[in-house]
Amino acid sequence: MSEPGEHRPVYTAGELAGLFGLTVVGDASTAVVGVATLSDAGHDRLAFLSNPKYRAQLAATRAGIVVLAAPDAERAPCTALVAADPYVAYARVAALFERATAAPAGVHPTAYVDPSASVHPSASIGAHASIGPRSVVAVDAVIGAGCVVGEDCVVGTASRLVARVTLVKRVRLGARVLIHPGAVLGADGFGIAMDAGAWLKVPQLGSVVIGDDCEIGANTTIDRGAIDDTVLEEDVRLDNQIQIGHNVRIGAHTAIAGCAAIAGSTHVGRYCLIGGGAGIVGHLDICDRVMVTAMSLVTHSIREPGEYSSGTPLMDNRTWRRNAARFRQLDRLFRTRGTE
Amino acid sequence: MSEPGEHRPVYTAGELAGLFGLTVVGDASTAVVGVATLSDAGHDRLAFLSNPKYRAQLAATRAGIVVLAAPDAERAPCTALVAADPYVAYARVAALFERATAAPAGVHPTAYVDPSASVHPSASIGAHASIGPRSVVAVDAVIGAGCVVGEDCVVGTASRLVARVTLVKRVRLGARVLIHPGAVLGADGFGIAMDAGAWLKVPQLGSVVIGDDCEIGANTTIDRGAIDDTVLEEDVRLDNQIQIGHNVRIGAHTAIAGCAAIAGSTHVGRYCLIGGGAGIVGHLDICDRVMVTAMSLVTHSIREPGEYSSGTPLMDNRTWRRNAARFRQLDRLFRTRGTE
Amino acid sequence: MSEPGEHRPVYTAGELAGLFGLTVVGDASTAVVGVATLSDAGHDRLAFLSNPKYRAQLAATRAGIVVLAAPDAERAPCTALVAADPYVAYARVAALFERATAAPAGVHPTAYVDPSASVHPSASIGAHASIGPRSVVAVDAVIGAGCVVGEDCVVGTASRLVARVTLVKRVRLGARVLIHPGAVLGADGFGIAMDAGAWLKVPQLGSVVIGDDCEIGANTTIDRGAIDDTVLEEDVRLDNQIQIGHNVRIGAHTAIAGCAAIAGSTHVGRYCLIGGGAGIVGHLDICDRVMVTAMSLVTHSIREPGEYSSGTPLMDNRTWRRNAARFRQLDRLFRTRGTE
C-alpha cells in the first residue's frame, strides 16, 4: 500500500544482520522494503520461518530474504538470515517497517480534562476522551479517542490507551502499558452476599495496579479489589476478552490467551502461559511456569511447574454421542468390574 | 405499544400470501397489525411455528394468522399461511412491521471528523463519534453515537455501526455491514515472542477486511493481521462476544454463535456453523459446511463436512463427581484389561 | 490512603455491634478507621473471617477487630464481632467506610441530550454521554461518562450507568439498577434464517426489561428480544462478560458469574447460581434454585433444584492425553465387554 510521496525504508540483508546479530547466508546486498508471509512475499520483502507447520512453504517462497533457524538455511531458495530465534529476529526487523502514527501532543478540542487533573504537555488526549478529578497522565502517555479515565487514576510514562478504554477509579498504570479498545479496568468485583432472601452488595474498596510493560487486550476486564488491589506485575500480556476477578494477582511475564478467566483472589505465578478460554476458579495459588491448555478448567491450586489440561478430544458428533453417553456409566463400570 | 397519531401498517393474509408466495388456508381477509409469539398473540397479530418445541402451542393460539409448514396447517385454529420455510417467511413478514428510525444525514454537532476524512453527505455521523485521518464513510452509511473510526478506514455503502464501535486503523468494511455496540475491529493481534526472559511485542502490520452483508455482534473483537489481513468473506454472521484472532479467514455465509473464539491464522470454510462458546485453536484449516457444537474445542484441522463435538454430558454434581474421578483411571483400566 | 484534610470515619466495636446486631467478644472500645484483610490489617482496621480457607490467618492477624462466626471467636487474638453471617456483617460495616463520590446533578457541558428526552434535575449526565429521543432519566439516576442511551429508553430512580454503557433502544431499567462500563443492553438478538444460500436477518422487535436492584457487569451483553422482551426480574446479579441471548428470562435473585452465556429463549428460575464460563443452550427451562458449576454446559431443561456439572478433572497434560485418548474408545469398551 505505497502512497505517493511516502518515504519507505529499505534495508539490505547485511544491514539487518549487523543491526540484530544475524548471519547472512547468500547475497548480503539483497534489499527489502517490508515484511510478508512466506507464501505471499515478493522479491523485495522479508519473510520468516519459525512454526514448523509452514516449513513446506520455504522452497517455493519468492521472498528476497527469509529469517530462519540454522538447520533450515540450506533449503532457502533466497538470501537467508540465520537467527537463534527466528520469531524474535523477525519481530525486531518488522518493527523497522512499522508505520506508527505519533499521536499529537496536547488535548483534543472535544476532550474534557477535569481542572484538578494533571496532564503532561507531552501527553496526547484524543477526541471525546475525559480525564477525571485528580488523575495524572504522565510524560508521553496517549489517551485515545473515547477513553474514560475516572478519578484518582495514574497513567504512567509512555503508556497508551488506544481508544474507548475505561479506567474507573484509582487505577494505577506503570510505564509503557498498552491497553486496547474496550478494556475496562477497575469495575467493581463481583462481591455479593445473600441476606434474608436478597443479595447484599459487598463494597469494593480496592483498585487495580498494572506493572510496567503490560499489554491488555480489547474488551478485557480487570476488576478492582474488594479490599486490597488487583495486581498485574510487570510484563504481563493479556489477549482480548479476558476476565480478571477482584484481588487476583498475576506474576511477571505471564501471558494469557483470549477469553480466559481468572476468578477472585487467585494468584498466578510468573512465566505462566494460560491458554485461550481456560478458566481458573477463585482462591487458588498457581506456581511459576505453569501452562494450562485451551479451555481447561483449573479447580485446585498447582504447586508444580508443567502443563495441565482438562476436557475431551473432538470427534464427529455421532461417535462423540456414543462415547459421551458412556461417561455417565463410568463409575458403575469400575465398580461392577472391581477395578478400583 | 401504539402511540397517538402513529401510522400502523395493516396486512391481510391474502396480501401477505401475494407478497411472499405463501398459500392461505382459511380466511384470506384476516388482517394483522404486527407479529407476536404463538402464546401471546391476539387476533390482530401474526405468529409462526417453526421450532417443533412450540408445536403444542398451536392449538391454543389466539393469533389471527399463523405462518407454518404444510403438515401443521390442519391443526391451526385460525387462518394459516403455509410456507416452505416458515421461519424465512416470518422474517419477511416481520420486516414489514419493523419500526426502524432513519438516522439523520449529516454530522452531529458533537461529533468530530478529521479534515482529511471523507464523509458522504448522505451518511450519518452520531453524537460524540469521531472519524480519523483519511477515513472514508460511504453513501448512506451510519456511524452511531460514540463510535471511534481511526485512520485510513473505509465504511462501505449503507453499512451501519450502531454505537460505540471501534475501527482501529485501516479497517475496510464492505457494503451493508452491520456492527453492534462495543465491537472492536483492528486491535493488535496477540503476537509476542519470549526474548531473554521478557516478552517482545511482534509488530501487527495487517488490518481487517469485512465482506459485504456481514453482521458483527456486540462486544465482539476481530484483531488486525500480523502481516496479511484478517478477513471475513461476505455474509458472515457473528454473534456477541466472539474473539477472532489475527490472520483468521472466515468463509462466506458462515455463522458463529456467541462467545466462540478462533485463534490466529486459522481458516474456517464457507457455510460453517460454530456453536456458542466453541473454541478453535490456531493455524488450522476447517473445510466448508462444518458444524461445531456448543463449547467444543477444535484442536486439529477438519477435512470432512459434518458435525463435531467434544465435552461430557451434564449430570447432577454427585453423579458427575463419581464419573469424573474415573476419567483419571481410564487409561489404567484399558491397559490392565488388555482392551487396546 | 489518607489525604490531607480528609474526614475519616471512626467506629468502635461497640458502635458496630449496636448498628448491626453483632456480639462483641473482647474490648468494645476498640476503634477502627477502615477495613482490611486478615493478613494485612493493622490495629486500626477491621477484618473478617468467612471463607474457611483463610482460617489459618486468624491467629496471626494484627487487626483491631475481626468479624467472624461464633465457633471462631475464641481463636481471635483481638476484639471479635460475632455474626450469624460474617460476610453479610462485614459488607454492612465496609459500606460505612466506602468513599463514594456523589455524581453532580445536571448535564455535563460535553454531554448531549435530545430535546425530546426527559432528564430529572436531580439526575447526573456525565461527559460525552448522549441521551436519545424520548428517553427518560429518573430521579437521582446517574449516566456516567461516555454512555449512549438510545431512543425510548427508561433509566429508573437512582439507577447508575457507571461509564461507557450502551442502551440501544426501548430498554427499560427499574430502580437502583447498577451497570458497569462496556455493558450493552438491547443489541439485536442473533436471529438469522438461511434462505436460498444466504442469510436473511430476522427482525428483532422486542427490547430489554431489567428489574429493580439488578447489577450488570462490565462488558456484559443482553440482547433485545426477537418479538417479546428479554427480561431480568428483580435483584438479578450478573458478573462481567456475560452473554444473555434474546428472549431469555432470568428469575429474581439469580446470580451468574463471569463469562457465562445463556442462549435465546431459555428461562432460568429464581435463586439460581450459574458458575463462571458456564453455558446454557437455547429454548430450555431451568427451575428455581439450580446451581451450575463453572464451565459446565447445560443442554437440557432442569426440573429439579440441585447442583449440576459437566467436564473432566484437570490433570498434568501427559496423564490427560492418555486418558482423553481412551474417551474415544469408551463405547467400544462397553460393547465388547457386554456391560450395557
Side-chain angles (χ1 to χ4, degrees):
Chain A
M1 242 178 67
S2 186
E3 288 152 36
E6 189 184 4
H7 173 74
R8 293 206 77 119
V10 179
Y11 290 91
T12 66
E15 287 167 344
L16 294 170
L19 282 168
F20 303 122
L22 311 174
T23 305
V24 183
V25 176
D27 180 359
S29 72
T30 309
V32 290
V33 300
V35 296
T37 60
L38 279 174
S39 59
D40 289 348
H43 72 281
D44 57 354
R45 301 293 159 132
L46 174 145
F48 74 103
L49 173 59
S50 172
N51 186 333
K53 288 199 187 188
Y54 298 102
R55 186 168 285 141
Q57 298 181 359
L58 180 60
T61 190
R62 296 180 308 277
I65 304 175
V66 177
V67 178
L68 40 62
D72 291 314
E74 64 185 25
R75 277 180 294 234
C78 59
T79 300
L81 282 171
V82 175
D85 184 329
Y87 195 41
V88 166
Y90 161 76
R92 294 194 191 287
V93 172
L96 297 176
F97 296 105
E98 204 169 8
R99 297 182 298 159
T101 319
V107 177
H108 194 277
T110 61
Y112 176 75
V113 177
D114 187 274
S116 64
S118 166
V119 175
H120 192 273
S122 64
S124 175
I125 312 293
H128 308 108
S130 62
I131 311 292
R134 296 172 302 282
S135 282
V136 175
V137 180
V139 176
D140 291 340
V142 176
I143 309 293
C147 289
V148 174
V149 175
E151 59 194 71
D152 297 304
C153 295
V154 176
V155 178
T157 300
S159 283
R160 181 166 174 234
L161 283 52
V162 173
R164 272 187 47 232
V165 168
T166 304
L167 308 183
V168 179
K169 194 178 180 175
R170 281 193 284 131
V171 174
R172 302 191 294 288
L173 310 180
R176 298 172 304 280
V177 171
L178 174 59
I179 309 186
H180 294 288
V184 177
L185 279 68
D188 282 351
F190 194 56
I192 51 176
M194 183 50 71
D195 179 35
W199 291 110
L200 177 68
K201 183 171 172 70
V202 180
Q204 302 293 302
L205 305 170
S207 192
V208 174
V209 177
I210 306 292
D212 295 344
D213 299 302
C214 288
E215 182 167 355
I216 294 167
N219 284 354
T220 281
T221 49
I222 305 179
D223 280 349
R224 63 190 299 208
I227 299 179
D228 296 335
D229 294 325
T230 303
V231 177
L232 269 60
E233 295 177 6
E234 72 272 15
D235 195 29
V236 170
R237 307 289 172 140
L238 303 187
D239 196 358
N240 296 351
Q241 306 227 33
I242 289 168
Q243 154 66 4
I244 305 293
H246 50 183
N247 297 105
V248 165
R249 183 177 192 100
I250 302 182
H253 313 297
T254 282
I256 304 185
C259 304
I262 303 181
S265 299
T266 281
H267 291 191
V268 176
R270 294 157 57 92
Y271 291 107
C272 292
L273 298 172
I274 310 298
I280 308 184
V281 305
H283 299 278
L284 302 185
D285 278 298
I286 310 299
C287 70
D288 294 351
R289 298 185 187 278
V290 164
M291 291 179 62
V292 175
T293 57
M295 290 178 69
S296 297
L297 175 64
V298 180
T299 52
H300 54 76
S301 290
I302 298 180
R303 315 287 183 194
E304 295 291 326
E307 190 174 2
Y308 295 85
S309 301
S310 70
T312 74
L314 192 80
M315 280 166 262
D316 70 89
N317 181 262
R318 196 170 155 174
T319 307
W320 174 81
R321 280 179 184 277
R322 275 204 216 103
N323 288 307
R326 298 303 189 176
F327 185 83
R328 292 178 184 283
Q329 305 165 335
L330 262 190
D331 184 52
R332 203 180 59 189
L333 171 69
F334 273 84
R335 281 191 289 125
T336 57
R337 294 305 175 109
T339 43
E340 282 194 88
Chain B
M1 242 179 67
S2 186
E3 287 153 37
E6 189 184 2
H7 173 74
R8 293 208 77 121
V10 179
Y11 290 90
T12 65
E15 287 167 343
L16 295 171
L19 282 168
F20 304 122
L22 310 175
T23 304
V24 183
V25 177
D27 179 359
S29 71
T30 309
V32 291
V33 299
V35 296
T37 60
L38 279 175
S39 59
D40 289 349
H43 72 281
D44 58 354
R45 303 292 160 133
L46 174 145
F48 74 103
L49 173 59
S50 171
N51 186 333
K53 287 198 188 188
Y54 297 102
R55 185 167 286 142
Q57 298 181 0
L58 180 59
T61 189
R62 297 181 306 278
I65 304 175
V66 177
V67 178
L68 40 61
D72 292 314
E74 63 185 26
R75 277 180 294 233
C78 58
T79 300
L81 282 172
V82 175
D85 184 328
Y87 195 41
V88 166
Y90 162 76
R92 294 194 190 287
V93 172
L96 297 176
F97 295 106
E98 203 168 10
R99 297 181 298 159
T101 319
V107 178
H108 194 277
T110 60
Y112 176 76
V113 177
D114 187 273
S116 64
S118 165
V119 175
H120 193 273
S122 64
S124 174
I125 311 293
H128 309 109
S130 62
I131 312 293
R134 297 172 301 282
S135 282
V136 175
V137 179
V139 175
D140 291 340
V142 176
I143 309 293
C147 289
V148 174
V149 175
E151 59 195 70
D152 298 304
C153 295
V154 177
V155 178
T157 300
S159 284
R160 180 165 174 234
L161 283 52
V162 174
R164 272 188 46 232
V165 168
T166 304
L167 309 183
V168 178
K169 196 178 180 175
R170 282 194 282 132
V171 174
R172 302 190 294 289
L173 310 181
R176 297 172 306 278
V177 172
L178 174 59
I179 310 186
H180 294 287
V184 177
L185 279 68
D188 282 352
F190 194 56
I192 52 176
M194 183 50 71
D195 179 36
W199 291 110
L200 177 68
K201 183 172 173 69
V202 179
Q204 301 294 301
L205 306 170
S207 194
V208 174
V209 177
I210 305 292
D212 294 345
D213 299 302
C214 288
E215 182 168 356
I216 294 168
N219 284 352
T220 281
T221 50
I222 305 179
D223 280 349
R224 64 191 299 207
I227 298 179
D228 296 334
D229 294 325
T230 304
V231 177
L232 268 60
E233 295 176 6
E234 72 272 16
D235 194 30
V236 170
R237 307 288 172 141
L238 303 186
D239 195 359
N240 296 350
Q241 306 227 34
I242 288 167
Q243 153 67 5
I244 305 293
H246 51 183
N247 298 106
V248 166
R249 183 176 193 101
I250 302 183
H253 313 296
T254 282
I256 305 186
C259 304
I262 303 181
S265 300
T266 282
H267 291 192
V268 175
R270 294 157 56 94
Y271 291 106
C272 292
L273 298 172
I274 310 298
I280 307 183
V281 306
H283 298 279
L284 302 185
D285 279 298
I286 309 298
C287 69
D288 294 352
R289 297 184 187 277
V290 165
M291 292 179 61
V292 176
T293 57
M295 290 179 70
S296 296
L297 175 64
V298 180
T299 53
H300 54 76
S301 290
I302 298 180
R303 314 288 182 193
E304 294 291 326
E307 189 174 2
Y308 295 84
S309 302
S310 70
T312 75
L314 191 80
M315 281 166 260
D316 69 90
N317 181 262
R318 195 170 156 174
T319 306
W320 174 81
R321 280 179 184 277
R322 276 204 216 103
N323 288 307
R326 299 302 189 177
F327 185 83
R328 293 177 184 285
Q329 305 165 334
L330 263 190
D331 183 53
R332 204 181 59 189
L333 171 69
F334 273 83
R335 281 190 287 123
T336 57
R337 293 304 175 107
T339 42
E340 281 192 270
Chain C
M1 243 178 67
S2 186
E3 287 152 39
E6 189 184 1
H7 173 74
R8 292 209 78 121
V10 179
Y11 290 90
T12 66
E15 287 168 344
L16 294 171
L19 282 169
F20 303 122
L22 312 174
T23 304
V24 182
V25 177
D27 180 359
S29 72
T30 309
V32 290
V33 300
V35 297
T37 60
L38 280 174
S39 60
D40 289 348
H43 71 281
D44 58 352
R45 301 292 159 135
L46 174 145
F48 74 103
L49 173 59
S50 171
N51 186 332
K53 287 198 186 187
Y54 297 102
R55 185 168 285 142
Q57 298 181 0
L58 179 60
T61 190
R62 297 181 308 277
I65 304 175
V66 177
V67 178
L68 39 61
D72 291 314
E74 63 185 25
R75 278 180 293 235
C78 59
T79 300
L81 282 171
V82 174
D85 185 329
Y87 195 42
V88 166
Y90 162 76
R92 295 194 190 288
V93 173
L96 298 175
F97 295 105
E98 203 167 9
R99 297 181 299 158
T101 320
V107 178
H108 194 278
T110 61
Y112 175 76
V113 177
D114 187 273
S116 64
S118 165
V119 175
H120 192 273
S122 64
S124 175
I125 312 293
H128 308 107
S130 61
I131 312 292
R134 296 172 303 281
S135 281
V136 175
V137 180
V139 176
D140 290 340
V142 176
I143 310 293
C147 288
V148 174
V149 175
E151 59 195 71
D152 297 304
C153 295
V154 176
V155 178
T157 300
S159 284
R160 182 167 173 233
L161 283 53
V162 174
R164 272 189 47 233
V165 168
T166 304
L167 309 184
V168 177
K169 195 178 180 175
R170 282 193 283 134
V171 174
R172 302 190 295 288
L173 310 180
R176 297 172 305 278
V177 171
L178 174 58
I179 309 185
H180 294 288
V184 177
L185 279 68
D188 283 351
F190 194 56
I192 52 177
M194 182 51 70
D195 179 36
W199 292 110
L200 177 68
K201 182 172 173 69
V202 179
Q204 302 293 301
L205 306 170
S207 193
V208 174
V209 177
I210 305 292
D212 295 344
D213 299 302
C214 289
E215 182 168 356
I216 294 168
N219 284 352
T220 281
T221 49
I222 305 179
D223 280 349
R224 64 191 298 206
I227 298 180
D228 297 334
D229 295 325
T230 303
V231 177
L232 269 60
E233 296 177 5
E234 71 273 15
D235 194 30
V236 169
R237 307 288 173 141
L238 303 186
D239 195 359
N240 296 350
Q241 307 227 32
I242 288 168
Q243 154 67 5
I244 305 293
H246 51 183
N247 298 105
V248 166
R249 183 176 192 101
I250 303 183
H253 313 295
T254 282
I256 304 185
C259 304
I262 302 181
S265 299
T266 281
H267 291 191
V268 175
R270 295 158 56 95
Y271 291 107
C272 292
L273 298 172
I274 310 298
I280 307 183
V281 305
H283 298 279
L284 302 185
D285 279 298
I286 309 298
C287 69
D288 294 352
R289 298 186 186 276
V290 164
M291 293 179 61
V292 176
T293 58
M295 290 178 70
S296 297
L297 175 63
V298 180
T299 52
H300 54 75
S301 290
I302 298 180
R303 315 287 182 194
E304 294 291 326
E307 189 174 3
Y308 294 84
S309 301
S310 71
T312 75
L314 191 80
M315 281 166 260
D316 69 89
N317 181 261
R318 196 170 155 173
T319 306
W320 173 81
R321 280 180 183 277
R322 276 205 216 103
N323 288 307
R326 298 304 190 176
F327 185 83
R328 293 178 184 284
Q329 305 165 335
L330 263 191
D331 183 53
R332 204 179 58 188
L333 172 67
F334 273 83
R335 281 191 289 125
T336 57
R337 292 307 173 107
T339 43
E340 280 193 271

